[in-house]
Amino acid sequence: MAKFNQLRMRQGGAARSAHFIREWRKHRGLTQHDLAEQIGITRSYLSMIETGKRPYRQEIISAATTVLGCTPEELIKGGPAKADDILSLWSDLTEAERIEGLETLKNMFGRE
């Protein structure tokens, strides 16, 4: 469905249609009913948002990111698999963790 939503964007559909809510919901093991209840909308409204039949509002994205444990950018630009890439992991690190991680990588690859 994500590919369908992206296609709608390229074909002039509303940009609000492109998102990865369904993918994140399934990744977290939630049903439509579970997620809809937690973000304060009906299951049928969530279904229409996931299928691109209804646009989402900012407050729905904000509530969904809280429940799904992702950022608005991750929810809109990529599914859960994309959130596990190295740049996403790096951006979540503290400065101390980044320094330690960089030192570890240097040691792994024999660079000083």
Side-chain angles (χ1 to χ4, degrees):
M1 188 51 56
K3 289 182 182 179
F4 171 75
N5 287 332
Q6 290 170 343
L7 180 61
R8 282 189 56 188
M9 273 186 61
R10 280 187 241 122
Q11 293 177 342
R16 294 174 300 198
S17 297
H19 56 72
F20 293 84
I21 294 174
R22 175 179 284 161
E23 291 83 351
W24 277 100
R25 176 179 59 77
K26 289 183 175 186
H27 179 69
R28 298 295 186 217
L30 297 172
T31 65
Q32 283 183 336
H33 180 267
D34 296 334
L35 180 58
E37 187 175 83
Q38 291 183 53
I39 64 176
I41 62 175
T42 65
R43 188 214 52 83
S44 61
Y45 187 63
L46 176 60
S47 176
M48 289 186 281
I49 291 171
E50 287 186 349
T51 58
K53 294 177 183 172
R54 295 287 299 260
Y56 55 80
R57 297 182 319 270
Q58 180 60 41
E59 53 270 17
I60 291 173
I61 292 297
S62 294
T65 59
T66 299
V67 174
L68 297 170
C70 62
T71 66
E73 181 179 67
E74 290 169 336
L75 189 62
I76 293 169
K77 292 187 176 182
K82 193 165 188 149
D84 291 333
D85 70 9
I86 188 75
L87 295 177
S88 293
L89 293 172
W90 185 261
S91 67
D92 291 340
L93 297 177
T94 66
E95 184 63 28
E97 290 170 328
R98 287 180 182 179
I99 291 168
E100 183 180 340
L102 188 56
E103 289 303 315
T104 301
L105 287 171
K106 285 179 181 179
N107 289 332
M108 283 175 60
F109 295 103
R111 298 187 182 170
E112 293 300 320

